[in-house]
Amino acid sequence: EVQLVESGGGLVQAGGSLRLSCKTSGFTHIAYAIGWFRQAPGKEREGVSCISSDGSTYSADSVKGRFTISIDNAKNTVYLQMNSLKPEDTAVYYCAAVENAVPIAGVPTNQYEYDYWGQGTQVTVSS
């Protein structure tokens, strides 16, 4: 079974940077997608950045130009580099994954397309 372990959250001032890590294990298929989602208090969970095994990526408009998703296949780890952080980026960030026996068309961006979830890591941006 796929397992995901997030790390790297914390408290940072506005304008600062953080890098979240998602250590993955248990993939059995060659095609997969991994996404970062976030949920702020009182709000619905939303997609932040996603990447698929063919290299396709997605980033929400609210983070374009500030957040970058990447994969280190040697370390089985997906990173979310977050720069120029804003107070509105404050949320619990979740790593999610889905795998498939055949290539995934594009990159899934809806949370309901993902089967596996990490425990979440808190990111707090102070003003």
Side-chain angles (χ1 to χ4, degrees), residues 6-28:
E6 302 108 330
S7 61
L11 173 64
V12 64
Q13 289 188 330
S17 298
L18 282 174
R19 188 177 76 162
L20 304 183
S21 300
C22 175
K23 177 75 172 176
T24 72
S25 62
F27 283 114
T28 59

Side-chain angles (χ1 to χ4, degrees), residues 3-125:
Q3 293 189 328
L4 309 169
V5 179
E6 302 108 330
S7 61
L11 173 64
V12 64
Q13 289 188 330
S17 298
L18 282 174
R19 188 177 76 162
L20 304 183
S21 300
C22 175
K23 177 75 172 176
T24 72
S25 62
F27 283 114
T28 59
H29 298 303
I30 60 171
Y32 60 86
I34 298 171
W36 285 99
F37 294 80
R38 67 186 181 187
Q39 188 166 22
K43 294 188 177 181
E44 293 190 357
R45 189 175 298 182
E46 63 175 355
V48 177
S49 293
C50 307
I51 189 167
S52 65
S53 50
D54 70 356
S56 300
T57 60
Y58 158 84
S59 287
D61 288 342
S62 58
V63 306
K64 280 181 180 176
R66 300 189 298 122
F67 292 10
T68 303
I69 190 169
S70 62
I71 294 179
D72 185 332
N73 289 311
K75 296 182 178 180
N76 296 323
T77 301
V78 176
Y79 300 101
L80 184 67
Q81 178 65 45
M82 305 186 295
N83 299 327
S84 302
L85 282 160
K86 303 175 181 180
E88 52 263 43
D89 294 318
T90 295
V92 177
Y93 284 70
Y94 298 91
C95 177
V98 60
E99 61 174 347
N100 204 35
V102 298
I104 298 172
V107 55
T109 61
N110 189 306
Q111 60 175 315
Y112 300 106
E113 298 179 278
Y114 288 82
D115 297 323
Y116 306 99
W117 291 83
Q119 80 285 358
T121 185
Q122 176 71 46
V123 171
T124 302
V125 184

